[in-house]
Amino acid sequence: MDNKMPVPNHIAIIMDGNGRWAKKRFLPRTAGHAAGAEAFRRTANYCRSIGVKYLTVYAFSTENWKRSEEEISGIMKLMGKYLKEAITDMEKNRVRFKVFGDISRLSPELQKLCTDAQERSAQYDDVQVNFCLNYGGRDEIVRATKAFAKDVAEGKRQPEELTEQMLSGYLYSADVPDPELIIRPSGEMRTSNFLLWQSAYSEYVFLNVLWPDFQPKHLDEAIMEYNRRNRRFGGA
Ligand code: FPP
């Protein structure tokens, strides 16, 4: 990476292609997710080393519950293993960890790992990793709307005072700036219900590499593409 290259403050990634990576190797899908977890570790470390302040990754969507029980339990097991190992790393590297999503549907053990990791890392502010787990963009907006409606019903808010900024404060991403760059590997070109509200002005970069094969050079490539684009926010 060229040291003078500007780096986005917040990068978000749809970690896609684990299943195809495994299929190509005649391996079970879970092996693809395990390789995907390694790619995440590698990418998170690289992002930290080049000065990215926020990294948001799509780990499990509200739609992913439709997959086989075997695959879901494989992914959940990997998450548990990863979180156990990651807590010490987060402390060493001063990384704040946040979950975006409804964790109440996860096993009690995994819920505890998530809350412990969030609590233990809340004091750090060098880098923040947002882990989207049982996350859906529409679901997030519905939850925010309900929370606002509840505040109105309780007399804490007036309907007229609602602004975009206020609604943002009810999202999982309250206090997190919007991502400037969203990367989707694996050749798919969809947003798949990821960060619907926050991506209003994000640049999308789609890469033809399966997530488990994702390397620092792919991140560099996405950042270079991002830097080449003229970002105008709808202005002239
Ligand atoms: C998409 O690939 C990936 C997922 C639904 C799960 C993402 C999970 C991980 C990267 C592993 C868990 C992460 C950590 C850090 C413990 P896909 O299965 O949809 O791939 P396909 O489109 O090729 O089938």
Side-chain angles (χ1 to χ4, degrees), residues 1-215:
M1 145 81 81
D2 167 3
N3 287 336
K4 289 189 286 299
M5 185 157 93
V7 165
N9 195 43
H10 182 175
I11 296 181
I13 306 180
I14 302 177
M15 305 188 288
D16 192 16
N18 299 346
R20 276 162 285 167
W21 183 92
K23 195 170 178 201
K24 265 172 57 181
R25 288 166 178 74
F26 305 101
L27 292 169
R29 293 180 62 83
T30 314
H33 296 313
E38 274 317 306
F40 167 68
R41 208 191 302 262
R42 184 160 75 227
T43 307
N45 281 331
Y46 185 60
C47 280
R48 192 170 47 80
S49 77
I50 61 172
V52 174
K53 291 284 178 209
Y54 297 88
L55 172 66
T56 303
V57 290
Y58 210 177
F60 196 85
S61 76
T62 45
E63 289 72 38
N64 285 151
W65 296 107
K66 293 183 204 136
R67 298 192 176 200
S68 75
E69 227 169 274
E70 189 192 350
E71 181 172 358
I72 294 172
S73 81
I75 295 177
M76 295 301 162
K77 232 161 109 184
L78 268 172
M79 306 261 187
K81 181 170 170 276
Y82 170 78
L83 280 172
K84 274 187 208 141
E85 291 165 2
I87 291 180
T88 30
D89 272 0
M90 287 174 207
E91 286 178 332
K92 192 174 96 209
N93 298 321
R94 305 182 57 81
V95 175
R96 184 195 286 152
F97 177 82
K98 281 261 174 155
V99 174
F100 286 4
D102 173 16
I103 61 168
S104 69
R105 201 170 159 185
L106 309 179
S107 70
E109 196 204 355
L110 199 49
Q111 286 185 43
K112 184 163 180 344
L113 282 169
C114 288
T115 41
D116 281 357
Q118 294 197 106
E119 280 165 16
R120 279 172 64 176
S121 67
Q123 55 182 312
Y124 305 127
D125 57 6
D126 289 13
V127 183
Q128 179 167 332
V129 168
N130 305 309
F131 206 71
C132 298
L133 195 44
N134 192 20
Y135 172 88
R138 287 183 173 177
D139 180 65
E140 180 184 31
I141 295 168
V142 168
R143 280 164 191 277
T145 311
K146 273 190 191 156
F148 176 74
K150 186 165 176 280
D151 282 351
V152 170
E154 290 172 2
K156 294 183 196 148
R157 295 268 190 219
Q158 293 301 314
E160 303 73 39
E161 59 173 332
L162 185 63
T163 58
E164 293 181 6
Q165 200 188 358
M166 190 182 284
L167 193 67
S168 294
Y170 284 90
L171 300 173
Y172 294 123
S173 59
D175 305 324
V176 174
D178 290 341
E180 291 96 340
L181 169 62
I182 300 182
I183 303 171
R184 182 163 196 164
S186 97
E188 303 288 348
M189 296 203 193
R190 286 186 299 282
T191 61
S192 296
N193 206 10
F194 185 49
L195 304 179
L196 292 185
W197 176 277
Q198 301 85 343
S199 62
Y201 289 102
S202 305
E203 291 291 343
Y204 277 93
V205 173
F206 299 98
L207 296 174
N208 245 328
V209 55
L210 300 174
W211 174 247
D213 291 327
F214 195 91
Q215 298 293 336

